[in-house]
Amino acid sequence: MWDYEVSKIIVERFFEKLNDNLNVDVAIVGGGPSALSASYYLSKKGLKVAIFEAKNEPGGGTWGGGMMFNELVVENDIKSFLDELGMNYLIKNNFISVDSVHFASSLLYNATKAGAILFNNVIVEDIVLYENKVNGIVINWAPVIRQKLHVDPITIMAKFVVDGTGHPANVVNMLVDRGIDIDLPIGKIREYPMNAKEGEKFVVENTKEVFPGLYVMGMAAVSVGGGPRMGPIFGGMIKSGLKVANKILEKLSIEV
Ligand code: 48H
Ligand code: FE2
């Protein structure tokens, strides 16, 4: 009875994965480029990492390149990272041009190959907070949230939670909305107009722990810090993800 066996394998394996990830070292919210770089590196270092992505297709803003021309740009100084991941690219003076679909799929392949477990179609709708520390996340099926079904969520405990939700900084917002004190340099979560060079520097500088147990990276770090957007250049997202990974490894006294 193949029909029975196929279903049984899927159901058993999914719940094994879920059960195994109810308590992780690092819970990453959002599956964009910063998330995938961070989870690649953390998993490679032996940490238990789970990524939670609201959409069916993780990869965030990478797939469409600039304005759906499916090519994106990164800075020359992350060439060795692209090499480590086995990517194809073309060097263009100080920049590197990469096919955006190839970029997205290479990040996804390498993060999951390194051991990160990806849960897609799952929305992080809240955080677990006690003893003045973020201790985990609250998850639900994305269709439950989108259809506004009255279904309660479940929790995932984590030593570290990382907001990789991009422009809206959804996880940091969950604290700010409740009036919990977060250092917002411009008083609110907001990004500034385009400035590629400054934005790329800003995103890395503003990648940090914003509340005990909660880190922010990628575009979320730009919005929380109040810095400029940078358009379809993605080196800063990669560096930001790797910076979060290094900060977490340092906290755990694991050699980077
Ligand atoms: C689960 C969620 C939730 C939630 C959101 O936007 P992303 O690609 O994230 P980054 O920061 O790694 O990369 C940013 C980059 O793509 C970008 O937009 C750039 C460089 N813009 C410059 C410019 O000028 O515009 O991905 C975030 C992901 C998405 O896939 C969301 O679906 C997901 O997070 N997400 N997942 N629970 N509550 N909120
Ligand atoms: Fe964007």
Side-chain angles (χ1 to χ4, degrees), residues 68-217:
M68 284 203 257
F69 307 141
N70 71 335
E71 199 68 21
L72 55 78
V73 168
V74 300
E75 295 86 339
N76 257 337
D77 62 357
I78 64 154
K79 181 178 170 301
S80 59
F81 182 75
L82 304 189
D83 288 335
E84 186 179 327
L85 267 49
M87 281 194 212
N88 299 332
Y89 52 79
L90 268 181
I91 295 180
K92 299 270 185 189
N93 302 320
N94 294 320
F95 299 106
I96 296 176
S97 190
V98 195
D99 178 287
S100 60
V101 175
H102 179 63
F103 185 79
S105 50
S106 299
L107 285 175
L108 272 164
Y109 173 76
N110 278 283
T112 50
K113 180 82 176 166
I117 300 292
L118 216 156
F119 293 94
N120 56 344
N121 296 309
V122 169
I123 284 184
V124 174
E125 63 161 65
D126 211 340
I127 46 171
V128 181
L129 181 75
Y130 50 79
E131 288 159 4
N132 200 43
K133 182 184 178 297
V134 172
N135 293 288
I137 53 170
V138 177
I139 61 166
N140 217 327
W141 291 116
V144 165
I145 305 294
R146 294 201 186 105
Q147 307 242 352
K148 299 189 170 56
L149 305 180
H150 190 166
V151 178
D152 276 335
I154 62 167
T155 53
I156 302 284
M157 304 308 289
K159 292 193 186 85
F160 303 91
V161 172
V162 189
D163 187 343
T165 62
H167 295 267
N170 287 325
V171 183
V172 176
N173 234 327
M174 289 165 195
L175 289 171
V176 174
D177 264 359
R178 267 73 173 251
I180 295 164
D181 198 25
I182 293 268
D183 176 32
L184 297 174
I186 62 161
K188 56 179 80 161
I189 295 176
R190 177 174 290 177
E191 73 194 32
Y192 270 70
M194 188 88 88
N195 180 335
K197 195 171 183 181
E198 286 305 312
E200 283 292 87
K201 210 167 78 189
F202 191 92
V203 60
V204 183
E205 281 168 8
N206 284 270
T207 297
K208 58 182 174 202
E209 189 175 19
V210 285
F211 189 82
L214 177 64
Y215 289 71
V216 67
M217 67 181 169

Side-chain angles (χ1 to χ4, degrees), residues 61 167 191 219 229-231 234:
H167 295 267
E191 73 194 32
M219 270 323 279
R229 64 187 304 184
M230 67 296 288
F234 283 80

Side-chain angles (χ1 to χ4, degrees), residues 4 11 35 39 45 85 155-156 161 168 198 243-244:
Y4 169 76
V11 170
S39 30
K45 292 284 179 181
L85 267 49
T155 53
I156 302 284
V161 172
E198 286 305 312
K243 183 173 174 186
V244 154

